[in-house]
Amino acid sequence: MRLLPATIALVLAVAASAAPAQQRLPDIGSSADTMLGPAQQREYGQMLLAQLRHYDYILDDPLIDSWLRHMGNRLAEASDQPEQPFTFFMIKDRSVNAFATLGGYIGTNAGLVLIADSEDEVAGVLAHEVAHVTQAHVLRGAERAQRDSIPILLAMLGAMAVASQTSSDSAGNAAVAAVAGAQGLLLQRRIDYTRSNESEADRVGMRTLARSGYDTTAMARMFEHMQALSRTNQGGERERMPDYLRTHPVTTVRISEARQLAEQHADQHKGNFSTVGLAGNNPLLPPLLRPGAPGAASGNQFGWARERLRALSAETPARAIAEYGRLSRSGELTEPQRYGLAVAQLLAGQGAEAARGFEALLASNPGDTWLLLGLARAESRQGLHAAADARYEDLVRRMPRNRAVVLGYAETLVERNNAESGRRAQDILRPLMAASGEDPVFHHIFARASDSAGDPIRAGEAWAEHAFLNGRAEQALLQLNTLRKRDDLDYYARARIDARIAAITPTVLELRRQGIRDPDLHRR
């Protein structure tokens, strides 16, 4: 528990731009020589992710999340430690980077996906990061930082800061990222992976890539993309070099070694399927997993995901639309690019144009969930509620536990702000509740649905959970204590609220002991 407030303190310190030299280092205890246990590592990862959400680094989009987690879990299950829990999340920054931290938390920048030509290439980088976790490189680096008398979380946050720098078309946080970048570069030499770590992660990651059925040559291709990017970018050395190359140096020798490893695994796994050419026409594969099949995880979905990220990571929807305009001048837009344009138009409030784009794509990709969700959303934005609801209801009937489908429909319903729509949103959300304890998007939508439905107790609980998952533990506790004073609580509601108060209170007390208060609650 002592690790949690230290995490919050350090993220707040990085985010504050005033008087950095006077920041007080938090007390992390005297267990410098004790290995962090799995529970402590997980706590660190959870709180770090909460703070990244608080500063609006995270891109919480159900469709992107489902694609990323499917790919990440496929790799994790094929790793040397399939029992190790992993959490994969997307950062909206367009700089090229990915990173692993304690507890199996692996972040991927939108920029890394935008430069990739296939899902296999993104998987090659993630397989490398998974290997850093399974081979305990992250934990060893943290322990080494402790032995060097550098606070472990400050050192690890330095690595995170490098990952979170922004140098392009990302939303907000430029000042925060600049300070974070300075802190990260200052500490980077103390926490960079060693050359042997990198070699081992390449070797073990390649084995994971092969076991999971991805194209083993993709890792070297991705390294080549990043190396080419560093040569073509203008500016100083810092602007020319992608963040990933600063923390994971790539040389011609390393690329050559990656190719050799890929060839070895290709020979060893000739009987396995791959998303790009390793017995890719295996008749034993289900149709949806065969390369090129409509909706295949590494077929259409990669293209949809990459272009959805382009639209969502742009500074504004108008900027995204202009970007697609520039792309169209170089040639006709591909289907994925047309999907991205429709997403950008939807975000810009151009519902009719977006609907036409999704309908045209559905003609050649019938039944595609990403397109159907986009069309339903566009219809709702035009006020065509009956058509949108019919489309959503059909999707929910067929996929009642699909997170993107359920959250998409529920969000559309709560935007109408009436009791009937709120109750329907609650109904379709409840089947996901048990699996959504760490899902701030779910709690945000459920809170709004409960408000509309006239259910203030459930709404209050969900708002508190949303605050906690976004790094606002003190605010969450205040909300729960206020809710507990209601005289209309039944036994079960009171028990739920008491349990959450008991779980959150130690974190808040430790924060206060260290002099860390929620700035929004203490502005007087």
Side-chain angles (χ1 to χ4, degrees):
M1 188 60 68
R2 293 172 68 87
L3 287 171
L4 302 185
T7 305
I8 298 174
L10 289 163
V11 178
L12 290 173
V14 168
S17 58
Q22 298 179 23
Q23 292 165 354
R24 178 172 60 86
L25 293 179
D27 174 16
I28 62 169
S30 58
S31 56
D33 296 325
T34 303
M35 175 180 275
L36 294 171
Q40 290 173 304
Q41 294 180 55
R42 190 79 181 163
E43 287 172 356
Y44 170 80
Q46 288 171 343
M47 290 306 294
L48 183 55
L49 181 55
Q51 290 303 306
L52 288 171
R53 283 198 178 102
H54 173 59
Y55 289 109
D56 199 30
Y57 282 116
I58 302 301
L59 197 158
D60 274 321
D61 177 76
L63 283 168
I64 295 297
D65 288 345
S66 67
W67 168 74
L68 180 64
R69 290 173 184 175
H70 178 274
M71 175 172 48
N73 290 338
R74 178 173 163 183
L75 292 166
E77 290 167 4
S79 72
D80 287 357
Q81 294 183 25
E83 72 284 354
Q84 161 74 45
F86 282 91
T87 299
F88 299 89
F89 56 93
M90 184 67 65
I91 289 181
K92 64 181 66 173
D93 198 290
R94 284 197 177 186
S95 60
V96 177
N97 209 352
F99 59 91
T101 190
L102 294 173
Y105 282 73
I106 294 180
T108 304
N109 280 26
L112 185 135
V113 181
L114 292 179
I115 70 163
D117 291 329
S118 68
E119 181 175 300
D120 300 75
E121 293 177 359
V122 180
V125 175
L126 291 189
H128 178 96
E129 298 304 322
V130 165
H132 276 313
V133 175
T134 61
Q135 304 310 113
H137 297 161
V138 178
L139 184 57
R140 290 175 196 164
E143 291 176 323
R144 185 166 59 249
Q146 279 185 311
R147 287 195 299 271
D148 292 342
S149 300
I150 297 177
I152 174 177
L153 298 184
L154 185 58
M156 294 307 299
L157 191 59
M160 280 295 306
V162 172
S164 301
Q165 293 171 73
T166 178
S167 57
S168 58
D169 202 15
S170 300
N173 299 305
V176 174
V179 177
Q183 294 274 6
L185 289 174
L186 179 65
L187 293 165
Q188 192 58 52
R189 65 173 61 92
R190 305 297 295 270
I191 57 176
D192 277 347
Y193 296 122
T194 65
R195 186 173 300 177
S196 61
N197 286 161
E198 286 298 281
S199 178
E200 184 177 31
D202 283 349
R203 186 174 65 256
V204 174
M206 190 69 74
R207 185 164 66 227
T208 296
L209 205 61
R211 286 174 180 165
S212 59
Y214 282 110
D215 178 10
T216 53
T217 65
M219 186 183 291
R221 290 203 307 272
M222 193 61 164
F223 289 159
E224 289 172 339
H225 288 331
M226 287 186 278
Q227 196 173 62
L229 183 66
S230 70
R231 291 170 179 164
T232 57
N233 283 356
Q234 300 300 312
E237 178 64 23
R238 192 173 148 71
E239 286 73 22
R240 287 200 303 269
M241 184 175 290
D243 294 336
Y244 196 80
L245 296 191
R246 289 203 295 272
T247 56
H248 301 70
V250 175
T251 64
T252 303
V253 172
R254 187 174 175 192
I255 292 173
S256 176
E257 290 174 347
R259 286 183 183 140
Q260 292 174 5
L261 286 169
E263 291 174 3
Q264 293 171 12
H265 284 284
D267 291 339
Q268 295 170 10
H269 295 272
K270 281 183 178 178
N272 293 348
F273 76 92
S274 169
T275 59
V276 182
L278 292 182
N281 294 318
N282 190 332
L284 299 179
L285 273 179
L288 282 178
L289 289 182
R290 293 175 193 162
S298 55
N300 287 8
Q301 272 198 21
F302 169 74
W304 303 152
R306 182 179 61 189
E307 297 309 317
R308 187 175 183 84
L309 276 173
R310 192 185 306 279
L312 295 176
S313 65
E315 187 172 317
T316 65
R319 290 279 188 91
I321 292 171
E323 186 173 352
Y324 283 111
R326 291 191 295 273
L327 289 172
S328 68
R329 289 194 287 273
S330 300
E332 184 178 354
L333 293 180
T334 64
E335 282 198 338
Q337 289 171 340
R338 286 160 52 201
Y339 168 76
L341 174 60
V343 171
Q345 290 169 333
L346 185 57
L347 293 172
Q350 301 172 13
E353 293 87 342
R356 285 193 290 270
F358 291 128
E359 286 174 336
L361 289 167
L362 276 166
S364 54
N365 298 273
D368 187 284
T369 302
W370 291 53
L371 301 178
L372 289 171
L373 285 173
L375 179 55
R377 186 76 164 174
E379 289 171 335
S380 181
R381 288 291 173 85
Q382 296 176 79
L384 305 174
H385 298 315
D389 288 359
R391 206 175 299 282
Y392 276 127
E393 290 287 352
D394 179 62
L395 287 168
V396 169
R397 179 183 55 80
R398 291 189 287 113
M399 296 175 280
R401 294 182 181 275
N402 182 297
R403 180 173 176 263
V405 167
V406 172
L407 293 184
Y409 187 20
E411 185 174 17
T412 298
L413 288 168
V414 299
E415 287 176 352
R416 299 172 193 171
N417 196 27
N418 62 67
E420 182 181 358
S421 295
R423 286 191 293 270
R424 179 56 184 148
Q426 280 186 312
D427 289 341
I428 63 173
L429 286 167
R430 282 194 177 98
L432 299 185
M433 185 173 288
S436 300
E438 297 181 18
D439 185 349
V441 177
F442 172 89
H443 289 290
H444 183 250
I445 296 175
F446 192 77
R448 294 174 64 197
S450 300
D451 276 333
S452 297
D455 188 351
I457 295 171
R458 281 293 192 180
E461 292 179 80
W463 283 122
E465 209 63 39
H466 177 260
F468 182 74
L469 292 170
N470 280 278
R472 311 305 291 271
E474 191 173 4
Q475 187 179 106
L477 185 60
L478 177 63
Q479 291 174 345
L480 289 170
N481 278 316
T482 301
L483 192 61
R484 194 181 186 280
K485 296 175 183 177
R486 295 180 62 99
D487 56 12
D488 57 346
L489 294 180
D490 62 23
Y491 170 81
Y492 299 102
R494 190 173 298 277
R496 290 194 308 269
I497 293 167
D498 285 343
R500 290 306 291 151
I501 289 174
I504 294 172
T505 296
T507 301
V508 175
L509 290 176
E510 182 64 13
L511 286 171
R512 290 175 178 174
R513 187 186 71 80
Q514 296 201 25
I516 301 165
R517 309 299 292 265
D518 189 318
D520 291 341
L521 298 179
H522 303 278
R523 292 191 182 278
R524 296 177 184 176

